[in-house]
Amino acid sequence: MAGPRTTVRNLNRTREKILAAALAEFSARGFAGARVDAIALRARVNKRMLYYCFGAKQDLYREILRRKIAERAEFIESTPDDFAGALAHIYLAGGTDIDFVRLMEWEAIDSGGRKCIAEAERRALFEKAVDRLRVLQREGSIPRGVNLTQLFISMLSLALFPLVMPQVIRLIHGMEPTDPRFMRQRANFLRWLGDRLGKPPETVPIRSRRRRNPTTPSHTAVRRGRSFKRPGQLA
């Protein structure tokens, strides 16, 4: 007869199977298109067990988001102290998670401008990321005066675009964005780009020029033996 610990382990294993199946189903069809029957079939459990573990479909979706948010909070905490490393870090931490990127694409299509599930939690996550950039700016890794909110949006764009538009990557590069060779090249490029963007703009020294008095002959003209007339002087 199975003891309490075995029952708990089995239940936890079942929950993990359901979550993995739900992530695959949501990323393939979106929240609106996903079906509880299909999730249960993927997880090889009956619907009753799914409802027992998570309740409604929205609760299952929220749990997936909660876990993804927790993962990304850890990524933010481990962000390197230089901008180049931070840019590559965002790509390697989030720009390679194809299931989650597809989930977000479906959400953008289906939401129609409505409030997102777990919106407050996600907003807090993004604010935390911008705060991390603010620390890097104070430490000199990001030039002063840069709009950090716009910078973070641009960093996400650089990191996520390959997975958002994989067909464009294939047409331009000839590789899948999930190909390890492409990912290595992308990470190296983002480090290179971040290293240059993170440097303060170079100041070009301006040579001061003395304003010549039009009535005073230049040394060059004198050396060439030219004669000058002052205003009103007769030739």
Side-chain angles (χ1 to χ4, degrees):
M1 186 175 179
R5 290 185 180 179
T6 303
T7 302
V8 170
R9 280 199 301 268
N10 290 340
L11 183 60
N12 288 338
R13 233 183 342 254
T14 299
R15 286 174 59 87
E16 295 302 320
K17 286 168 56 179
I18 293 171
L19 283 170
L23 177 58
E25 181 70 12
F26 286 135
S27 65
R29 308 182 190 282
F31 177 78
R35 296 289 177 264
V36 174
D37 289 344
I39 296 172
L41 185 62
R42 283 178 182 267
R44 297 183 179 180
V45 300
N46 57 53
K47 280 201 304 182
R48 186 179 301 175
M49 177 58 72
L50 187 149
Y51 287 127
Y52 173 79
C53 291
F54 293 101
K57 183 173 74 169
Q58 183 168 337
D59 298 322
L60 184 54
Y61 189 84
R62 184 181 292 276
E63 176 60 19
I64 289 173
L65 288 179
R66 187 194 66 77
R67 291 191 174 205
K68 290 296 182 181
I69 290 170
E71 287 176 3
R72 277 146 184 77
E74 292 180 5
F75 295 154
I76 292 171
E77 291 293 338
S78 59
T79 300
D81 293 331
D82 62 294
F83 180 68
L87 184 55
H89 182 72
I90 285 182
Y91 168 67
L92 294 172
T96 57
D97 189 346
I98 190 167
D99 285 333
F100 188 63
V101 170
R102 286 175 177 169
L103 193 70
M104 293 297 97
E105 287 186 275
W106 274 112
E107 185 179 79
I109 294 170
D110 294 338
S111 67
R114 295 186 298 274
K115 188 175 180 178
C116 300
I117 296 175
E119 183 169 306
E121 293 90 331
R122 283 190 269 181
R123 193 184 301 276
L125 177 69
F126 294 144
E127 289 174 355
K128 187 174 184 180
V130 174
D131 285 342
R132 178 61 180 150
L133 294 180
R134 193 167 288 113
V135 172
L136 296 184
Q137 191 176 54
R138 284 199 300 266
E139 294 174 348
S141 295
I142 297 174
R144 294 186 180 277
V146 174
N147 186 315
L148 296 179
T149 301
Q150 288 293 336
L151 179 63
F152 180 59
I153 292 171
S154 299
M155 292 170 75
L156 289 179
S157 302
L158 287 166
L160 300 180
F161 179 82
L163 288 183
V164 172
M165 294 285 182
Q167 77 279 22
V168 175
I169 302 304
R170 287 195 298 270
L171 291 170
I172 295 174
H173 200 289
M175 290 186 186
E176 293 289 338
T178 52
D179 188 311
R181 293 172 298 169
F182 174 83
M183 293 166 60
R184 185 164 53 250
Q185 290 179 17
R186 186 67 179 167
N188 289 337
F189 168 76
L190 291 177
R191 289 191 185 94
W192 175 87
L193 181 64
D195 184 55
R196 280 146 185 81
L197 292 177
K199 291 179 179 179
E202 295 182 2
T203 55
V204 179
I206 300 175
R207 294 180 180 179
S208 61
R209 294 181 178 179
R210 290 185 303 172
R211 188 174 180 179
R212 293 176 180 174
N213 187 337
T215 63
T216 304
S218 67
H219 295 292
T220 304
V222 171
R223 282 198 301 270
R224 290 177 180 173
R226 295 178 182 173
S227 62
F228 286 84
K229 297 187 301 179
R230 298 182 183 276
Q233 180 181 353
L234 296 177

